[in-house]
Structure formats: C-alpha cells, structure tokens
Amino acid sequence: MKIEEEERLIAHAVTRLSAKYSSISADVVGDAVASAHAHFDGNKVRDFVPLLVERMAGEKLSSLVASWSVYRR
C-alpha cells in the first residue's frame, strides 16, 4: 500500500470514529488514531494498518466513553 493511500484511509477512519463517538472532541479522536497509527511504525506489511488502527482507536474511545458514563451516574 502506498503512503498516500494509507494516509487517506486513516483520515477516513478519523471521520468515521468522530461520527461514531460524537460526544468526544475531534482532537481526542485524532489523538487516539495517531497513537494507534504510531503503534504500527516500522512494520513492513502495511495493507491492514488502516483497519487495525481504526479498531484499536475505536476500542480506546469505547473504553473512554464507558469510563465517562460511570462518572455521570
């Protein structure tokens, strides 16, 4: 996968996750995606990185939302 294609897919992941977790600021979503993306730095096989990044960031955001809901009770 070319770098440009990976970056485009990562940007789409940010958009999807921002829509899914609309109660979380775009900066927090972007940070979660950037952190997940950095996790795969140095890996030679890049074909599944955007998918794995979206899943990893989604899990982090989901747990963040869950922990916030505990404090709102």
Side-chain angles (χ1 to χ4, degrees), residues 1-64:
M1 174 178 298
K2 293 185 179 183
I3 293 172
E4 298 82 14
E5 178 69 7
E6 182 175 318
E7 290 174 353
R8 185 182 69 76
L9 292 171
I10 295 295
H12 285 290
V14 170
T15 301
R16 284 190 297 275
L17 290 169
S18 292
K20 183 174 182 178
Y21 298 98
S22 59
S23 63
I24 299 177
S25 76
D27 289 338
V28 173
V29 173
D31 289 347
V33 171
S35 175
H37 195 211
H39 178 79
F40 296 99
D41 284 350
N43 290 4
K44 293 179 182 179
V45 178
R46 307 298 296 179
D47 292 344
F48 298 103
V49 167
L51 173 65
L52 297 171
V53 165
E54 186 167 354
R55 286 184 180 175
M56 194 175 208
E59 288 172 5
K60 182 176 184 176
L61 295 168
S62 182
S63 69
L64 186 61

